[in-house]
């Protein structure tokens, strides 16, 4: 079928049209982006370099940090450029690529958080079988399945959106190319796109969410009724608390943004919600896992100590 698209580029309207705020917002989000990159990169380095962290939990944490680095990079640099330019344009191909990678990395992160909840369930409720169930080969398969599912889920949306005819307005009321604002610009029927968004994307989000809730239901029940040691309970709740905080920071805005049944008219609200999990959450995730995790903090101190000794020796 011949592509009917007449629009060759889109104009991103950005977060605000108040020029006096542009440079302030640029500085704020630049610092947040750099903090996200440094924090998540530090976790990746620590989980690779420290042998004590070569466990399923930290393997998945390293994957989560990689996803956060790429996830924020998909949208934030383009948003930063928009603060410095009077008009921010993006080509049709670039727009579809941004849409694809945003949903690829976002849906992969949602699935990964569900797997991390299952990992905590096995570690706490089935400790004797943990090394058998969550062996290295299984963890690698789960990680590969996570990234692959996210990729093909996003590809479905990108292809379905790219085939729509865009022949009128090209002003996207957002700071990046997301599905909802693009559907508002399409000239043809968006019924298929909305069906995919409301059913497939809802399943991608709700499946891991339900798995997470069930995992923590069993974890809490197990800790309350079967674990007698207070110190073991505190350690388990501390580990689970970090993960639950990250889950809440991602799931609440995602479910709020994509579980709505229509395209919607509240563009400013959608932008603010998207901003939380695309720019703010990747900054907070490393802080949550390092501040509440003694093993990660100890590994970071150890690696920084090695680095300082190496610098002094040079």
């Amino acid at each position: 079928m011949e592509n009917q698209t007449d629009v060759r580029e889109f104009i991103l309207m950005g977060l605000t049209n108040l020029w006096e705020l542009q440079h302030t917002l640029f500085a704020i989000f630049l610092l947040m982006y750099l903090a996200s990159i440094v924090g998540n990169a530090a976790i990746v380095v620590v989980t690779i370099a420290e042998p004590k962290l070569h466990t399923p939990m930290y393997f998945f944490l390293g994957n989560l940090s990689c996803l956060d680095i790429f996830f924020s990079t998909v949208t934030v640099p383009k948003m930063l450029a928009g603060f410095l330019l009077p008009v921010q344009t993006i080509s049709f191909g670039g727009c579809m690529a941004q849409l694809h990678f945003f949903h690829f990395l976002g849906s992969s992160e949602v699935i990964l958080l569900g797997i991390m909840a299952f990992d905590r369930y096995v570690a706490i409720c089935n400790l004797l079988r943990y090394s058998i169930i969550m062996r290295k080969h299984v963890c690698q398969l789960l990680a590969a399945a996570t990234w692959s599912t996210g990729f093909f889920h996003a590809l479905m949306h990108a292809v379905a959106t790219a085939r729509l005819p865009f022949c009128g307005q090209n002003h996207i009321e957002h700071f990046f190319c997301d599905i909802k604002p693009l559907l508002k610009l399409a000239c043809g029927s968006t019924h298929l796109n909305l069906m995919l968004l409301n059913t497939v994307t809802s399943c991608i989000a709700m499946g891991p969410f339900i798995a997470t809730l069930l995992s923590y239901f069993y974890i809490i029940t197990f800790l309350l009724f079967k674990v007698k040691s207070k110190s073991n309970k505190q350690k388990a709740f501390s580990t689970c608390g970090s993960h639950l905080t990250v889950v809440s920071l991602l799931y609440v805005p995602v479910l709020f943004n994509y579980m709505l049944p229509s395209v919607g008219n509240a563009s400013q609200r959608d932008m603010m919600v998207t901003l939380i999990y695309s720019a703010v959450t990747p900054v907070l995730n490393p802080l949550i896992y390092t501040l509440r995790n003694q093993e990660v903090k100890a590994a970071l101190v150890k690696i920084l100590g090695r680095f300082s000794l190496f610098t002094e020796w040079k």
Side-chain angles (χ1 to χ4, degrees), residues 103-159:
H103 286 274
F104 161 37
L105 297 164
S107 55
S108 296
E109 185 159 337
V110 166
I111 297 168
L112 183 63
L113 288 173
I115 292 174
M116 292 174 74
F118 175 73
D119 171 71
R120 291 298 83 209
Y121 160 73
V122 178
I124 293 171
C125 302
N126 293 277
L127 182 58
L128 296 178
R129 300 176 59 196
Y130 181 67
S131 59
I132 299 173
I133 296 173
M134 301 302 292
R135 55 191 182 274
K136 183 178 179 181
H137 180 62
V138 172
C139 293
Q140 290 172 342
L141 283 177
L142 287 172
T146 295
W147 290 75
S148 300
T149 303
F151 179 86
F152 287 109
H153 166 247
L155 186 63
M156 172 194 70
H157 283 304
V159 170

Side-chain angles (χ1 to χ4, degrees), residues 180 198 201-203 205-206 254-262:
K180 284 175 135 184
N198 293 329
T201 302
S202 296
C203 290
M206 289 305 296
V254 165
L255 294 177
F256 185 80
N257 219 15
Y258 290 103
M259 294 294 287
L260 298 179
S262 63

